[in-house]
Amino acid sequence: MKALFKFSSLSVWVICVSLVACTDHQEPGTERLRIKKLTRSLPYQHGYSVVSILGYDWQGRLDSVYSYQTADSAHSPTQTSNFQYDNQGRLAQMKRTLSTGGSERYVYTYDGAGKISSIRYTGGDHDYYDLVPAYDGAGNLTETTRSFHFYSAISYLQQNQYTFSTGNLSRLIATTTIEKGVPATSVSTTDFVYDDHPNPFYGISLIPAPVGIAAPTSGNFSHYTYCGGVDNFLHLSRNNPTSSNIKGYTQTLYRYQYNALGLPESRATLVKPMLDLPAVLSETLLFEYETY
């Protein structure tokens, strides 16, 4: 995998401005498809799901994401995300606004070679992340550093080292330091296993999920997206993961149903909070596509 974090103006799949080299991600003999709708269901939220509708501009670039809750969509909370691009067709920023209050913004900057040099995430007044990538001499992504500091009260630093194999992220080594008066550092190794089906998120820089705004000042340093951003790696791999295993700790399993073109129609995510415990369903995601 080459030219990671390099952006292009080509419009293939959903959007070819990403943390991965932009190529035509269609498999031979398939239709030209892109994601139109994602429906998320959580096992503890009985009776309703959250639908996200993706919109595109005339150049085929992801332009908006509108999310609403079913079944009473007329009175449910909504979220609206808008994407902006620079004059070279690269993603410049994305802003997501919640009808219940609050918003977040991602701002992208680039180096002279057109690769991402930083991503700045801002949520609340003091909630932010800075993510900085590093590359090898061939332009491949090797490392990212994500940081947050809130005066002397709390700070966070995570350095991720990436290993790729046959177009997929095969191993991630994360070194995380959290400081609340006294620094504490942990190291985790995550290994990934994939099937041979095309990943519909591959080559997409960011699709926000209908969740709350990130709040690192509260000590919560995870921020879920459907793909991309500062805390999700699904867009880096050509194929769909079937498992991710944090050595000695937890395991996440992914179960898919595929359509005739080999694209996922549904994905069930199951988590083993400890390796000796059974896997528990944590999310079901439904995919719908459109031709273009």
Side-chain angles (χ1 to χ4, degrees):
M1 183 182 296
K2 295 185 177 180
L4 292 161
F5 274 75
K6 185 172 183 179
F7 278 49
S8 165
S9 60
L10 295 176
S11 56
V12 294
W13 278 104
V14 178
I15 183 176
C16 237
V17 288
S18 72
L19 309 186
V20 190
C22 287
T23 57
D24 192 335
H25 304 142
Q26 284 183 221
E27 297 298 306
T30 66
E31 296 181 34
R32 191 175 174 86
L33 297 175
R34 61 190 179 192
I35 300 172
K36 180 59 180 178
K37 182 165 74 173
L38 296 167
T39 302
R40 183 182 192 226
S41 300
L42 303 179
Y44 57 84
Q45 295 176 334
H46 300 289
Y48 73 89
S49 302
V50 180
V51 176
S52 294
I53 305 295
L54 282 64
Y56 301 88
D57 65 16
W58 65 275
Q59 293 179 278
R61 303 177 303 192
L62 184 59
D63 178 67
S64 64
V65 178
Y66 178 73
S67 299
Y68 62 90
Q69 178 180 304
T70 62
D72 188 12
S73 58
H75 300 93
S76 70
T78 62
Q79 301 183 14
T80 303
S81 302
N82 294 293
F83 295 73
Q84 296 181 16
Y85 299 87
D86 64 18
N87 56 14
Q88 297 185 52
R90 304 173 303 193
L91 181 62
Q93 67 175 339
M94 189 283 291
K95 182 178 181 180
R96 181 170 67 108
T97 303
L98 282 60
S99 65
T100 53
S103 65
E104 67 181 10
R105 186 187 304 270
Y106 292 83
V107 177
Y108 293 75
T109 59
Y110 302 85
D111 62 21
K115 295 181 175 63
I116 293 176
S117 57
S118 68
I119 302 174
R120 172 77 172 189
Y121 172 92
T122 53
D125 291 340
H126 301 290
D127 290 310
Y128 74 91
Y129 289 112
D130 286 310
L131 185 139
V132 178
Y135 311 89
D136 63 18
N140 300 313
L141 177 67
T142 58
E143 184 177 306
T144 58
T145 301
R146 178 163 59 116
S147 60
F148 160 77
H149 302 281
F150 182 52
Y151 301 104
S152 60
I154 185 171
S155 65
Y156 171 89
L157 180 69
Q158 185 176 73
Q159 294 175 298
N160 290 336
Q161 296 176 304
Y162 302 91
T163 301
F164 292 90
S165 177
T166 62
N168 293 319
L169 176 63
S170 57
R171 172 168 287 185
L172 186 154
I173 300 175
T175 302
T176 305
T177 300
I178 300 173
E179 184 170 349
K180 295 181 181 179
V182 177
T185 299
S186 62
V187 180
S188 64
T189 299
T190 304
D191 291 319
F192 299 86
V193 178
Y194 298 85
D195 61 20
D196 59 356
H197 289 272
N199 174 12
F201 292 131
Y202 176 63
I204 304 174
S205 57
L206 174 63
I207 300 179
V211 298
I213 304 301
T217 52
S218 70
N220 182 356
F221 301 108
S222 63
H223 188 46
Y224 180 67
T225 62
Y226 285 134
C227 69
V230 297
D231 193 28
N232 190 312
F233 317 106
L234 286 179
H235 62 305
L236 296 178
S237 299
R238 292 179 178 273
N239 300 116
N240 295 309
T242 57
S243 69
S244 62
N245 305 278
I246 301 179
K247 286 189 174 181
Y249 294 98
T250 67
Q251 181 182 50
T252 300
L253 305 172
Y254 302 94
R255 299 291 180 258
Y256 301 90
Q257 291 184 346
Y258 288 102
N259 63 20
L261 298 177
L263 293 170
E265 293 183 330
S266 68
R267 184 191 74 196
T269 302
L270 301 95
V271 176
K272 289 185 177 182
M274 297 181 65
L275 294 179
D276 59 347
L277 295 178
V280 177
L281 180 67
S282 66
E283 178 192 64
T284 301
L285 188 63
L286 305 181
F287 299 77
E288 293 186 28
Y289 305 91
E290 65 179 7
T291 58
Y292 72 109

